[in-house]
Amino acid sequence: CRTNNTEAIKMKHLHWHQDALKIQFGLTNSNQEAEREEWRLLFSNPQDPSMCPIFAIAVYLAVSNREYAEQDRLFLGGTPADTFHKALKQALRSPVIETCLRFHGLNASDIGAHSIRKGAATFLANGSTCGPSYSSICIRMSWSMGVQGRYLHYNYAMDAFCGRILA
């Protein structure tokens, strides 16, 4: 999701739903009046813990070394989105990353926080021979679909499919 949506996540927005972490959002680009409940499922990646979002959140909570109340934001600090942007820019300046980017014909200036969402959407659309539907990708990315958005709505099974592909 967008960094500002991520910044607004509170502990009360996190729940377990079967084998996934359910994250509830208030407002999104496609739900600006909060007319309906918006949530996404986050799945673990047991094959590669370094790429596992559930493990990353667990480590984050463990090293933050504090007790959280229901109303506390998950990510601490005044503006976690700005902190993330600065950390990403700093990481992209590291010699190892710069070498890797050059190898692939990229520059650090080509990459930003939005690149993660764009890359996720690209991977969902092209990551297999039988990927999720276009509407499922748009809903997962919180992209508005114009008039189609009135008829095509969130579906648990497709969000779970998207979430598992992304994990």
Side-chain angles (χ1 to χ4, degrees):
C1 66
R2 291 173 172 80
T3 53
N4 62 332
N5 292 112
T6 303
E7 181 177 276
I9 296 172
K10 295 182 179 181
M11 295 305 289
K12 70 178 185 173
H13 297 139
L14 303 177
H15 306 282
W16 286 106
H17 183 77
Q18 297 176 6
D19 63 339
L21 182 63
K22 176 182 172 181
I23 303 174
Q24 187 172 348
F25 295 98
L27 302 175
T28 63
N29 196 36
S30 60
N31 188 22
Q32 295 184 10
E33 283 82 37
E35 296 168 343
R36 62 188 177 281
E37 189 176 289
E38 288 272 336
W39 47 284
R40 300 294 179 269
L41 299 174
L42 197 61
F43 290 88
S44 68
N45 182 344
Q47 303 300 319
D48 188 357
S50 69
M51 298 292 292
C52 180
I54 305 293
F55 183 67
I57 291 172
V59 169
Y60 172 78
L61 292 172
V63 301
S64 67
N65 195 26
R66 70 176 289 231
E67 288 188 35
Y68 283 86
E70 197 174 81
Q71 289 298 325
D72 289 343
R73 290 189 348 198
L74 172 62
F75 299 107
L76 305 172
T79 53
D82 289 342
T83 303
F84 174 74
H85 289 281
K86 289 174 188 172
L88 179 62
K89 286 187 185 297
Q90 182 179 354
L92 291 170
R93 285 193 300 264
S94 81
V96 173
I97 300 295
E98 282 183 335
T99 302
C100 185
L101 290 173
R102 267 194 309 276
F103 178 79
H104 292 286
L106 299 169
N107 298 312
S109 61
D110 297 331
I111 298 174
H114 194 64
S115 301
I116 298 167
R117 289 180 70 232
K118 290 193 294 188
T122 300
F123 188 72
L124 283 172
N126 303 308
S128 75
T129 57
C130 187
S133 67
Y134 175 72
S135 61
S136 297
I137 294 170
C138 289
I139 291 167
R140 178 73 186 206
M141 297 294 133
S142 295
W143 291 337
S144 61
M145 294 182 285
V147 71
Q148 291 89 352
R150 293 183 176 271
Y151 305 103
L152 303 170
H153 298 286
Y154 177 88
N155 176 277
Y156 165 77
M158 285 312 294
D159 188 60
F161 183 43
C162 290
R164 289 184 189 283
I165 291 171
L166 293 173

